[in-house]
Amino acid sequence: MDRILVMRSFVTVAKVGSFSGAAKQLGTSGSLISRHVADLEKQLGVHLVNRTARSVSLTEPGLRYSEFAQRILDEIDEEDTRIAELHDRPEGPLSIICPKWIGGLDLGDAIAEFSVAHPKIAVRFELGGMSDRTYDFLDSGFDVAFHTRDLRDSSVRLKRIASLPFVLCASDRYIARHGLLTDANDLGRHDCLVHVNDPVWRIGHGHSSTLHKIRNIAFQSNSYIALHKAAVHGRGIALLPTRSAYDDLMNGTLRLLLPELPVPSRSLYAIYGPAAQAPRKVEVFLAYLTKWFAENPLPVFEKPVQSVQ
């Protein structure tokens, strides 16, 4: 027995004074309403209504129970309304998680500006600690997670937010010791600085691109920050997010390699719960970030990056 449905039937009977009137108001049959009341009486062990051929009146227990049931139903309806409004309004807590290297780039700035623009949304932003299972962030209480992998998982929804450009680079110190990289196929004879989740490098675009499984790994890390530092100190060739390497490329600390074969960008994806209609705060957040990245692309180089060919 659906207790809430039965209570609603009984309260409606108490209001209109008949089974047929209650049935009409609730859009069902009089026999079903009568059965609901009978089931409720059986459950409680008392008569709630006096039935006559023309009308239905409440007994003393029925009057008391109808007042109680009305209070319960009113509270349920009010809470349903509040929850629906909360879902539809861009406010409340919003928990976000992403890999450390992404959060340390533009994404951190974008989320900080979003928080200022939407003060009624209390942002919780965590870096790292992500599981390989795409849906674990939901079990951990997060609303949105960011990845650079194109995930195909029906347990979550996915939205592309932006492109994150990468560059192949090295320092003059490394180049002086090991020579220039003039062909992508020569990567095998160079010391390479490799992210643990990125052991295969794609060089070039489209049909002309080539994949290179890096075997001569001189330095390995789960942090692009560490790889960047190793590149600056001359440890080897690195494949880095352009944003993190930008200043050092501009001032000549790092040199762009194989500029005629640009490295493909990585797509930044937001993943969130599988509900058909995402909470309004999530929709507003994703729309804001998409617009932010479109309006804040990587700065155009005012002069050519000093490259080695």
Side-chain angles (χ1 to χ4, degrees):
M1 179 178 63
D2 184 332
R3 190 62 172 265
I4 301 301
L5 177 61
V6 168
M7 289 172 68
R8 199 173 295 280
S9 294
F10 173 66
V11 166
T12 307
V13 168
K15 285 181 179 179
V16 302
S18 71
F19 294 124
S20 59
K24 184 176 181 180
Q25 186 168 322
L26 295 175
T28 186
S29 66
S31 60
L32 181 60
I33 297 295
S34 179
R35 187 160 67 249
H36 283 170
V37 174
D39 287 345
L40 185 58
E41 288 178 323
K42 183 177 179 180
Q43 176 72 26
L44 297 173
V46 296
H47 287 294
L48 299 174
V49 298
N50 296 311
R51 298 168 174 82
T52 68
R54 294 183 178 181
S55 65
V56 174
S57 61
L58 298 180
T59 63
E60 183 177 347
L63 178 60
R64 179 173 176 175
Y65 193 81
S66 69
E67 293 173 349
F68 162 76
Q70 185 65 68
R71 290 197 303 272
I72 296 298
L73 294 174
D74 286 345
E75 287 188 19
I76 291 174
D77 291 342
E78 289 171 4
E79 189 62 24
D80 285 351
T81 299
R82 283 195 292 268
I83 294 297
E85 290 176 348
L86 182 61
H87 183 279
D88 294 336
R89 290 198 305 263
E91 59 183 60
L94 178 67
S95 297
I96 307 154
I97 189 170
C98 76
K100 290 182 179 179
W101 74 270
I102 300 177
L105 300 178
D106 290 354
L107 185 60
D109 290 326
I111 292 176
E113 290 189 24
F114 168 80
S115 183
V116 172
H118 294 274
K120 290 187 177 181
I121 296 179
V123 173
R124 168 193 172 199
F125 182 34
E126 293 195 10
L127 307 182
M130 297 184 66
S131 166
D132 290 335
R133 294 186 298 180
T134 57
Y135 54 83
D136 273 3
F137 74 98
L138 294 171
D139 295 337
S140 299
F142 291 95
D143 300 294
V144 180
F146 287 94
H147 282 280
T148 53
R149 291 177 292 151
D150 187 357
L151 305 168
R152 300 299 178 187
D153 190 329
S154 60
S155 64
V156 296
R157 298 179 68 189
L158 177 146
K159 178 179 175 63
R160 186 177 181 278
I161 299 297
S163 290
L164 302 177
F166 275 65
V167 290
L168 192 68
C169 57
S171 70
D172 281 341
R173 188 187 310 180
Y174 174 82
I175 293 170
R177 291 199 311 267
H178 298 272
L180 308 181
L181 175 68
T182 57
D183 189 314
N185 292 320
D186 291 338
L187 278 170
R189 68 178 181 83
H190 280 273
D191 294 340
C192 294
L193 318 178
V194 178
H195 194 284
V196 294
N197 294 326
D198 194 19
V200 178
W201 292 358
R202 181 181 291 276
I203 308 297
H205 282 287
H207 297 298
S208 63
S209 68
T210 54
L211 292 174
H212 302 268
K213 183 173 177 58
I214 305 304
R215 302 188 184 280
N216 188 18
I217 300 176
F219 188 96
Q220 191 171 30
S221 177
N222 66 347
S223 166
Y224 280 109
I225 296 174
L227 296 175
H228 180 190
K229 291 181 181 298
V232 167
H233 285 280
R235 187 63 185 93
I237 294 174
L239 184 62
L240 298 175
T242 302
R243 175 63 75 187
S244 66
Y246 180 82
D247 289 342
D248 286 329
L249 287 167
M250 287 295 295
N251 63 32
T253 301
L254 292 175
R255 306 287 179 151
L256 181 66
L257 304 179
L258 302 178
E260 74 282 3
L261 293 174
V263 178
S265 297
R266 315 285 176 86
S267 290
L268 176 63
Y269 295 100
I271 58 175
Y272 51 105
Q277 182 67 41
R280 182 63 179 154
K281 61 186 177 182
V282 172
E283 291 182 341
V284 168
F285 173 65
L286 298 182
Y288 186 96
L289 258 64
T290 301
K291 182 179 179 183
W292 190 95
F293 276 97
E295 294 177 347
N296 295 272
L298 192 68
V300 176
F301 291 111
E302 296 179 358
K303 59 180 179 178
V305 177
Q306 299 181 36
S307 60
V308 175
Q309 303 185 44

